[in-house]
Amino acid sequence: DAMVIQNPRYQVTQFGKPVTLSCSQTLNHNVMYWYQQKSSQAPKLLFHYYDKDFNNEADTPDNFQSRRPNTSFCFLDIRSPGLGDAAMYLCATSSGAGGRRTGYEQFFGPGTRLTVL
Amino acid sequence: AQSVSQHNHHVILSEAASLELGCNYSYGGTVNLFWYVQYPGQHLQLLLKYFSGDPLVKGIKGFEAEFIKSKFSFNLRKPSVQWSDTAEYFCAVNPSGGGFKTIFGAGTRLFVKA
């Protein structure tokens, strides 16, 4: 089955120690997103790629970076995690093609829960 | 700033009860609207979507939602819930002209008692 895969599912890191979360997709979608979700809050968009075109949200801290080396993979790098960065990180994709009717539906991975000690 | 409000954070219903979850958004232009669902232990998945046309849209598992433009609302309904509907439900809005950015509500946790 076509899907969005996130690794690892659980990540523990130390305060200030860089961490990388990965996302891969077999849907061949053009658009990939990273969301941060804290308990009882809405998923908050950090950034997204349309192909290699990177779109950063204005309020995404500089501490968060992303890489998309190819269509299938996207990485979230947190350069110096703070206690406030502990959250669930969701990766999602959408096709970006076919206009509004089909291009904007998002397909989510299971998420990576990040703990910062 | 654009935002999405879901009125109830927690809802508890008995099986066969009717369900209505409220969603309001703050954006004056054309929007694409979504409801996503997250069942326990599973990832977020699409329940239904509205782009244009008939404001009453039907999704999977007997769910429907009605877009009322004048009220900036997109409420989710189901006439008779089942225990298996226990999940968290998220309303989401993609403003037309906003590219692929989608704004999510904080979610409503539904618990259906058997």
Side-chain angles (χ1 to χ4, degrees):
Chain A
D1 284 342
M3 56 199 310
V4 181
I5 301 162
Q6 290 188 245
N7 285 304
R9 295 290 307 276
Y10 301 89
Q11 176 72 59
V12 180
T13 190
Q14 292 179 334
F15 183 94
K17 185 174 181 181
V19 66
T20 295
L21 310 182
S22 73
C23 177
S24 63
Q25 55 131 340
T26 60
L27 298 159
N28 202 32
H29 281 172
N30 298 98
V31 190
M32 294 187 78
Y33 310 78
W34 280 105
Y35 290 89
Q36 179 192 64
Q37 186 181 22
K38 297 185 177 181
S39 181
S40 301
Q41 295 184 22
K44 178 182 177 296
L45 183 64
L46 295 173
F47 21 61
H48 74 274
Y49 280 92
Y50 181 85
D51 291 331
K52 286 193 176 292
D53 183 19
F54 177 69
N55 296 271
N56 194 36
E57 292 302 300
D59 57 355
T60 298
D62 292 340
N63 197 28
F64 292 83
Q65 304 285 321
S66 185
R67 296 170 283 135
R68 189 180 186 184
N70 53 53
T71 301
S72 301
F73 285 88
C74 195
F75 299 97
L76 170 62
D77 301 308
I78 308 176
R79 294 192 295 189
S80 182
L83 298 178
D85 297 328
M88 178 72 84
Y89 289 88
L90 301 173
C91 176
T93 72
S94 60
S95 73
R100 295 159 64 206
R101 288 195 176 276
T102 56
Y104 294 78
E105 173 187 345
Q106 295 186 36
F107 295 78
F108 285 84
T112 294
R113 183 166 296 282
L114 177 68
T115 300
V116 182
L117 301 177
Chain B
Q2 298 160 355
S3 64
V4 177
S5 298
Q6 292 185 237
H7 310 306
N8 307 99
H9 293 297
H10 294 90
V11 173
I12 301 174
L13 295 173
S14 297
E15 275 195 312
S18 64
L19 169 72
E20 181 159 3
L21 301 182
C23 173
N24 286 89
Y25 62 92
S26 63
Y27 181 73
T30 305
V31 292
N32 305 313
L33 299 161
F34 306 85
W35 276 97
Y36 286 86
V37 60
Q38 186 168 25
Y39 297 103
Q42 298 187 26
H43 54 270
L44 273 162
Q45 57 188 287
L46 185 71
L47 196 58
L48 49 76
K49 59 190 176 186
Y50 170 81
F51 293 107
S52 63
D54 188 345
L56 184 64
V57 293
K58 296 190 183 299
I60 61 172
K61 303 186 179 184
F63 285 89
E64 63 179 31
E66 184 175 14
F67 170 50
I68 302 179
K69 188 175 181 179
S70 62
K71 294 185 177 180
F72 300 92
S73 71
F74 189 55
N75 292 354
L76 181 70
R77 301 194 291 247
K78 186 171 183 178
S80 176
V81 295
Q82 301 173 313
W83 176 81
S84 58
D85 294 324
T86 294
E88 189 160 17
Y89 294 82
F90 292 88
C91 181
V93 174
N94 165 250
S96 290
F100 294 100
K101 178 175 180 174
T102 299
I103 303 159
F104 282 78
T108 297
R109 288 183 185 270
L110 171 66
F111 180 73
V112 180
K113 298 183 291 185

